[in-house]
Amino acid sequence: MSNGTRVYENVTRQFNRAAEFMNLEPDVRRILSEPMNEITVNFPAILDDGRVEMFTAYRVQHNNVLGPFKGGLRFHPEVDIDEVRALATWMTWKTALVDLPFGGAKGGIQIDPKQYSAQELERITRRFTFALGNNIGPEFDIPAPDMNTDAQIMAWILDTYLSIIPPQERQRCYHVVTGKPVDLGGSLGRDKATGQGVVYLIERWAEDYGLDLAGSTYFIQGFGNVGSWTARLMKPLGAKLVAVEDASGALVNPDGIDPDDLGEYAAEHRGTADYPKASSADHRTFLSTRADIFIPAALENQITAETAPLLNVRLVAEGANGPTDTDGDRILQERGIHVLPDILCNAGGVIVSYFEWLQNKRSEFWDLEEVDAKLHKKLIRAYERVKQKSEEYATDWRTGAYVIALSRLQSVYRGRGIFP
Ligand code: NAD
């Protein structure tokens, strides 16, 4: 079974569990249990040595009953249709939970980006955008960065998309992607948005549950966009980073690792391996780190029946999508470890993507204080609703979050009915 299939099984189990818990109407349940559209494209791109290579990519549009499809684009060698289905489904729940006028989608190119030059990645990205054609669009389906994709990739998508539509429409289509460079219509604060959201929520949780962040300890899996921004923003709060793991291995230092220093090192060395101010550790030792908080910000299915018993923390704040499977969830619950679920915890990225989309539509440019203040307000409101719903139903926060998201979708289906 592929990793993607396991991830999709997890999203399906989470959905079924919540649907049963809240007695979701059977018709709505049937509709939401499958993605609306699944696009697979096989396309050629020319490599630097003149050879032509074929690539496979996916865009899954799970649901758009609340607004245009919205979701990131991932470059990863193991991306498959099931993984993209799962990630698209989580996007539908996330946008519904945090009250955005968007649906859920996700895309992925099956590629190891490290094997290609910047020029090759540009040609691959542009040719993929061309192959998608009108399957994306500013009022239809709006990609954004995810694993191994960044503002530069979004800039190439933007430029290619604008080049293939009529010239008269170009100026009003900049919102076809979010997470763009600021000079090209991106929003201030989008680069750090997901990490910023994770930190706002941890701060609020710490206040509610009596954890003094000054002097507290945490560890992070993943030191890319989400992980490194989260760590850098935890530093001014006085929290100490005691272990980090990325694709190149794990590092521990009970005296603390400086996120800014590690960030500079990782940028220079393309990863955290051999960082001289910490010791290397194996994966199990990393997961067993004694700390107040664990922040998974890399891959899916990391906290499972096998690994959940290793954790020695009070809180798991899910920066990644789907880091905990349903067995892992059960064990964390039994052990009294609190979870800030992914569809809440990492929603800062899509919230600021929405702000970018709005700024582009209105030809506005908001300052960073405005973006941060609006992000804080939206996320904390969602946090309060999840807390209140979980208490009302005496359930865990993931189920509470699902109940809110699914209720919103159910009410829209009730109102609109099913055509014809
Ligand atoms: P990224 O590509 O910037 O960083 C990924 C990090 O994970 C890297 O440090 C990489 O080395 C590490 N990693 C990869 N394989 C690993 C392994 N086997 N063990 C340990 N670490 C490993 O990606 P990102 O944008 O930071 O995304 C990370 C997670 O956050 C993903 O689940 C993504 O879907 C989710 N997410 C991202 C955003 C966003 O705005 N970028 C928003 C919401 C959720």
Side-chain angles (χ1 to χ4, degrees):
M1 185 190 292
S2 78
N3 178 56
T5 305
R6 273 196 299 276
V7 178
Y8 193 49
E9 271 188 11
N10 188 37
V11 88
T12 306
R13 263 192 236 119
Q14 287 179 351
F15 171 66
N16 286 336
R17 188 167 175 270
E20 265 150 46
F21 183 83
M22 66 180 285
N23 277 323
L24 189 69
E25 286 173 16
D27 291 344
V28 176
R29 182 167 170 177
R30 258 192 294 278
I31 293 169
L32 292 175
S33 59
E34 285 177 58
M36 282 180 173
N37 307 317
E38 302 185 343
I39 302 142
T40 301
V41 287
N42 297 305
F43 60 92
I46 302 173
L47 304 186
D48 290 344
D49 63 8
R51 275 184 307 125
V52 170
E53 192 171 320
M54 288 299 290
F55 296 89
T56 299
Y58 310 96
R59 184 77 184 166
V60 172
Q61 297 165 334
H62 176 262
N63 191 281
N64 68 348
V65 80
L66 298 177
F69 298 111
K70 183 89 190 80
L73 171 68
R74 169 176 292 202
F75 287 180
H76 199 274
E78 278 160 35
V79 161
D80 64 15
I81 188 74
D82 273 341
E83 184 180 58
V84 182
R85 277 181 187 131
L87 292 162
T89 311
W90 275 316
M91 283 306 293
T92 301
W93 312 153
K94 195 182 301 181
T95 51
L97 172 67
V98 297
D99 250 337
L100 297 179
F102 285 142
K106 204 81 179 194
I109 306 187
Q110 212 178 69
I111 176 184
D112 178 0
K114 285 193 235 60
Q115 306 301 321
Y116 298 89
S117 69
Q119 293 74 21
E120 287 170 332
L121 287 176
E122 175 174 355
R123 286 195 292 274
I124 294 163
T125 304
R126 286 182 179 277
R127 187 62 203 233
F128 170 59
T129 310
F130 180 76
L132 281 179
N134 281 336
N135 288 302
I136 58 168
E139 305 291 334
F140 181 65
D141 182 359
I142 306 127
D146 192 76
M147 260 202 164
N148 294 322
T149 59
D150 57 13
Q152 178 59 72
I153 305 273
M154 298 306 116
W156 291 328
I157 297 177
L158 172 74
D159 186 69
T160 309
Y161 183 81
L162 295 183
S163 305
I164 60 176
I165 59 171
Q168 295 79 359
E169 288 177 24
R170 286 182 191 151
Q171 294 310 324
R172 54 187 174 85
C173 287
Y174 274 65
H175 51 310
V176 65
V177 278
T178 57
K180 301 180 285 286
V182 173
D183 289 344
L184 277 67
S187 177
L188 289 173
R190 175 59 185 92
D191 51 354
K192 67 164 180 149
T194 308
Q196 181 69 77
V198 172
V199 174
Y200 283 154
L201 291 165
I202 289 176
E203 266 185 293
R204 183 49 187 260
W205 182 90
E207 237 175 81
D208 282 355
Y209 291 88
L211 172 67
D212 187 0
L213 286 177
S216 68
T217 50
Y218 70 101
F219 65 109
I220 287 200
Q221 185 188 45
F223 205 68
N225 174 285
V226 181
S228 69
W229 272 112
T230 301
R232 274 183 272 173
L233 295 164
M234 288 290 275
K235 183 174 156 182
L237 306 178
K240 193 159 70 172
L241 174 64
V242 290
V244 183
E245 183 181 62
D246 74 358
S248 64
L251 298 167
V252 294
N253 185 348
D255 295 330
I257 298 168
D258 180 57
D260 294 310
D261 191 57
L262 181 64
E264 278 170 32
Y265 178 91
E268 203 179 311
H269 298 81
R270 301 187 89 191
T272 62
D274 302 324
Y275 179 63
K277 298 174 194 165
S279 330
S280 63
D282 62 46
H283 183 58
R284 284 179 80 83
T285 309
F286 166 77
L287 287 176
S288 313
T289 303
R290 188 176 288 279
D292 296 304
I293 306 168
F294 173 41
I295 306 169
L299 305 169
E300 303 88 7
N301 283 352
Q302 295 300 295
I303 305 174
T304 60
E306 197 194 321
T307 57
L310 300 174
L311 293 183
N312 249 314
V313 292
R314 283 180 67 185
L315 174 69
V316 171
E318 296 184 336
N321 286 304
T324 311
D325 73 8
T326 42
D327 291 335
D329 249 339
R330 182 179 38 77
I331 294 168
L332 294 184
Q333 240 171 296
E334 283 164 9
R335 298 188 57 218
I337 298 175
H338 203 128
V339 176
L340 285 173
D342 49 4
I343 59 172
L344 171 68
C345 193
N346 68 35
V350 71
I351 292 175
V352 178
S353 274
Y354 168 58
F355 296 159
E356 179 176 331
W357 187 76
L358 274 186
Q359 290 171 72
N360 294 160
K361 271 165 81 89
R362 300 175 180 168
S363 300
E364 288 180 358
F365 192 71
W366 303 353
D367 60 32
L368 185 59
E369 289 70 29
E370 185 174 357
V371 171
D372 281 349
K374 287 185 158 132
L375 168 64
H376 187 266
K377 189 171 170 190
K378 228 173 182 0
L379 261 184
I380 297 303
R381 198 184 289 154
Y383 169 99
E384 291 298 349
R385 283 206 309 260
V386 171
K387 182 171 187 229
Q388 186 261 330
K389 194 58 84 184
S390 317
E391 284 168 3
E392 181 187 330
Y393 284 82
T395 187
D396 60 291
W397 284 35
R398 191 180 320 278
T399 309
Y402 267 68
V403 170
I404 296 168
L406 296 177
S407 302
R408 186 172 168 218
L409 288 154
Q410 174 168 261
S411 121
V412 174
Y413 274 110
R414 265 191 200 140
R416 285 179 56 163
I418 292 167
F419 175 82

